[in-house]
Each structure stands twice: as C-alpha cells, then as structure tokens.
Amino acid sequence: MDGEYDVLVIGTAALDIKVHTRALAIEPELSNPAIIELGFGGVARNIAENLVRLGGDVSLISAVGVDEAGTQIVQQLRDVGIHTDAMIVTADHNTGAFVGIYQLDKRLRVAFDDMQVIRLITPGYLNQHRSLFHDADVICIDANLSARALETVFRLARAYDVPVCADATTPLLAQRLHPFLPELAALAANRAEAEALLGTHFRDEDEVLQGARRLAQLGVDLAIITQGAEGLSYATSDESGRLPAFNVEVVDPVGAGDALTAAVAYGLAEGLAPTEVVRLGLAAAAQTIVCQETVCPYISLEVLYERLVV
Ligand SMILES: Nc1ncnc2c1ncn2[C@@H]1O[C@H](COP(=O)(O)OP(=O)(O)OP(=O)(O)O)[C@@H](O)[C@H]1O
Ligand SMILES: [Mg+2]
C-alpha cells in the first residue's frame, strides 16, 4: 500500500440541486426567485471525494444513469483521482438527485431525493467486486444501500477483517443500520438520525451523550452523534465525552457531516485513538463549513492538523 491507505466507499452519487430562497415566504403555485446551485453530491460520493483529498487510495461503488448528470459525475470522480472501475452506469434508471430548499439562514426547509438507481448495488454485484473488500484498509458506507446489500457488505468485511464505518445519512435511512450496529467500527449520526436509530427523543445534551453510550453498548466500537453548531458526543466501550464544534464563520454547513465521517474513516484506517479520530472529524467539519462547496476543494491532512494545533 506504499504509504497510502486503501478505502472502499459504497453508496450514493447524485446530482445536488440547492435552492436558496430569497424571500421569507414561498408563494405557492408560482415560480419564486431563488439562487440555485448545481453540484455533485450523494453521501458516499462526498465521503469518497473527502478521502481522496485526505490522501486515500479510494474506490467508489455507486450507480448512476447514462444521462448527462451521470456522465459528469463519473468524469469528476476520475478527475479527482477516485477509482471508478466498480461504478455502475445504467440505462434503466436516471442518475440519483437531491433537491434541497434552504431558507435565508441556510437551514434546510424541505428536500426531495430520488436514489432508486442505488438498488442496482446488489449482493451479486458486491460479490463480483470482493477483491476491493479484500484490499481495503477501511470500508465506508452510507445508509442508502438495501438491507440485502448491507448484509453482503458486512459479510465480506467480516471475511476479510476490514473495519466498516457508516454515515447514518438521514433519519429514515438510519434505521437500516440497526441490525448491523454490533459490526460497526464507527458510526457517525446526526442528532435526528441517532434518535431514529434508537427510537427515542433526546431532551437535552446529556441525553445525547447517553445516546452515544447506548450505541456503544449495542456494539458500535466508536459511536458519534453530531449536534450541528453544538459539536458532538462520542462513546466507545470504555470512554465517552462531548466536544464543542470549532469556532468558525459559517459559510455553508452542508457536507460538514460527510467530511466528518470521511475523517473518521481515515482515522480508522490509520488505527488512531478514538479521541484523535473524533477531533480530526471536527476539524474536517470545520474546514467544510468555511467552504461554499459541499466538499471543500482544498481539504487535506495538513489543513486538518493545522486546525488541530491552533
Ligand atoms: N453551524 C455550525 N457551526 C459550527 N459547526 C458546525 C455547524 N454545523 C455543523 N457543524 C459541525 O459539523 C459537524 C456535523 O454537523 P451536523 O450535525 O449538522 O451533521 P449533518 O446533519 O450530518 O450534516 P450534513 O449531512 O449536511 O453533512 C458538527 O459536529 C459540527 O462539528
Ligand atoms: Mg450527514
């Protein structure tokens, strides 16, 4: 592995359409003025791009359509140096897409997503690419994968003894990870996703920390619950704590969670101690928040370690 670590990322790659409304109220049944940004997204794709920028040798298993968006997504993955040999390009589905409507304060108001194409990542397809599992130092997944695909991912990871890191992705999808909690080396969930996974509502910060401990009791080696501007809570079987977010000017918080998950995957690949993994995650989130883009184009290990020393 010539100094680099090998990562396999599995999950969605999609077109992101971010609509920033300019008025406080949206007029129904009319076209409303907005600033509309197009970009590449999908949680797994974002994680893969972060990891390649953090020095990883990254392969992505995802699926796109033969349409213009899919072609551009695959081209961009190649341009940044991600291996795309295991990407599915299909004529049977359109490329996945996410449309998010954001308020003036940059908070998400409502979103829609179409990730059906990801169903093409079947157990058979994953088995065909088992050499990528064998070669990986860490595997990172999002929660868009079907239950059957998830079962295969964890079976192959077990067979080749590779740690798996998961991003809980959305509250609805997070629950798919429940059967696999005992097999996770790391889980990054935001507050709503952790609530959905545990079937509970956290009333305060203490309960979030308890939630992280509960996830660790259920078998996650390193459980992380992110809390936006409040930072995060984390737990392993023998330590737990809360860490504040880095104090940075918020340019665009979208993608911070994905960057955090990527840094956690890097930490697992390198066998870093849990507290260092979590701190690197916070640094990656902060670096993403000061960037307009969903994946900060100049994120790097050097930049993260610089943030950690100040
Ligand atoms: N407004 C903010 N100010 C400072 N730090 C923030 C802010 N929002 C997020 N962060 C940082 O990013 C981390 C992840 O954020 P969050 O809990 O919002 O994840 P998320 O909902 O998964 O985000 P996304 O999926 O959009 O990437 C937090 O733990 C925190 O360190
Ligand atoms: Mg997230």
Side-chain angles (χ1 to χ4, degrees), residues 87-155:
M87 287 288 297
I88 299 168
V89 182
T90 179
D92 297 338
H93 289 276
N94 53 280
T95 295
F98 165 89
V99 183
I101 318 287
Y102 297 85
Q103 299 174 160
L104 283 177
D105 62 2
K106 307 211 161 131
R107 285 163 77 98
L108 183 65
R109 186 166 179 157
V110 63
F112 303 91
D113 65 78
D114 169 4
M115 302 294 170
Q116 295 201 51
V117 65
I118 221 67
R119 291 184 197 162
L120 296 184
I121 304 179
T122 58
Y125 188 80
L126 292 168
N127 274 310
Q128 267 174 38
H129 290 86
R130 71 166 72 80
S131 66
L132 291 173
F133 289 75
H134 171 270
D135 294 342
D137 295 307
V138 65
I139 294 164
C140 202
I141 57 170
D142 72 29
N144 283 284
L145 297 170
S146 69
R148 289 174 63 239
L150 285 170
E151 268 167 35
T152 308
V153 166
F154 285 99
R155 191 174 49 70

Side-chain angles (χ1 to χ4, degrees), residues 167 193 257-258:
D167 188 292
E193 291 153 7
D258 303 344

